Amino acid sequence: MSGNKQNIQGLVIGANGLIGNYMGRLLTHKSVLWKGTCHNRTCSDFLKLNILDDDLESIFSHFSPDVVFHCANLSGGVDFCEEHPEIAKKFHLEATQKIGSYCKEIGATLVYFSTDYIFDGTKGPYQENDVPNPLNIYGKLKLQSEYWIQEHLKKFLIVRTTNVYGWDPKTLTPNYIMNLYPCFISNFLNQ
Ligand SMILES: NC(=O)c1ccc[n+]([C@@H]2O[C@H](COP(=O)([O-])OP(=O)(O)OC[C@H]3O[C@@H](n4cnc5c(N)ncnc54)[C@H](OP(=O)(O)O)[C@@H]3O)[C@@H](O)[C@H]2O)c1
């Protein structure tokens, strides 16, 4: 223990989301001591956290993780960001900066899930050093977060994921395959 804080190996922010959920399972499988957070969908195993308010301070005053996996996502996804740029900025950029600052303070590594939306899609598959050119607000904010992390942190990993899919019936942001599935079923029934 450092001070009154509980040392843990991993903190998964957004542990009941699509990526966070699998991250948590992997950590458990590897016998890593970790805590997870949830937001709207309460889960008894996880701590309640809203990265848009002061909850972050409380979490980091209670736990001292070695690695923070930032897997939170704004409900409504890319379209919501276009329609609500101010909220999107608070969530995707400013909250990431706060999380990064806490990581720096306690010497934790930040694992940040970015996106291929930082590219314009005119070619691909993209390599790490390809020049980004985001076309929408979501992509621009994720790229700004990447730049902030690279400038301010020494211990970090940026993962540019693309079109992760899986089955999560309670999600507020259905992924690509979940959107396709009802079309597939109705086409099948109409045959
Ligand atoms: N899925 C993809 O295809 C994809 C592609 C590229 C990049 N990414 C990136 O990967 C990360 C994770 O995406 P995902 O698809 O796994 O997300 P997701 O399934 O939509 O899950 C989002 C997670 O964030 C939590 N959350 C929502 N609002 C929050 C808030 N205000 N404070 C704290 N937690 C909050 C949710 O908790 P509750 O459910 O309890 O509300 C949930 O655990 C995101 O940064 C996203 O940009 C995803």
Side-chain angles (χ1 to χ4, degrees), residues 15 39 66 68 91 112 122 144 158 165-166:
H39 176 234
D66 297 329
V68 174
F91 191 98
Y112 179 63
T122 52
Q144 285 175 40
I158 293 171
Y165 59 87

Side-chain angles (χ1 to χ4, degrees), residues 32-105:
V32 170
L33 178 64
W34 67 281
K35 294 271 177 201
T37 77
C38 59
H39 176 234
N40 274 317
R41 298 181 286 167
T42 314
C43 176
S44 56
D45 293 341
F46 301 141
L47 309 153
K48 259 308 215 187
L49 168 73
N50 182 356
I51 61 170
L52 293 175
D53 68 22
D54 293 339
D55 295 359
L56 269 176
E57 190 184 344
S58 164
I59 292 273
F60 282 96
S61 67
H62 283 93
F63 297 101
S64 187
D66 297 329
V67 183
V68 174
F69 300 88
H70 177 4
C71 308
N73 201 11
L74 187 56
S75 301
V78 177
D79 292 344
F80 185 90
C81 292
E82 265 335 277
E83 289 152 16
H84 304 88
E86 284 307 314
I87 302 175
K89 187 176 174 197
K90 282 195 168 62
F91 191 98
H92 282 299
L93 180 60
E94 293 169 15
T96 301
Q97 291 171 332
K98 268 196 207 164
I99 293 168
S101 300
Y102 281 113
C103 287
K104 190 173 180 177
E105 204 177 299

Side-chain angles (χ1 to χ4, degrees), residues 13-21 37-42 48-52 70-75 91-92 112-117 138 142 159-165 168 170-173 175:
I13 298 178
N16 56 348
L18 191 60
I19 293 176
N21 172 30
T37 77
C38 59
H39 176 234
N40 274 317
R41 298 181 286 167
T42 314
K48 259 308 215 187
L49 168 73
N50 182 356
I51 61 170
L52 293 175
H70 177 4
C71 308
N73 201 11
L74 187 56
S75 301
F91 191 98
H92 282 299
Y112 179 63
F113 286 88
S114 187
T115 171
D116 61 346
Y117 274 83
Y138 170 73
K142 295 295 266 190
V159 187
R160 289 175 178 159
T161 44
T162 179
N163 253 341
V164 185
Y165 59 87
D168 182 2
K170 291 187 184 153
T171 186
L172 299 173
T173 313
N175 56 72

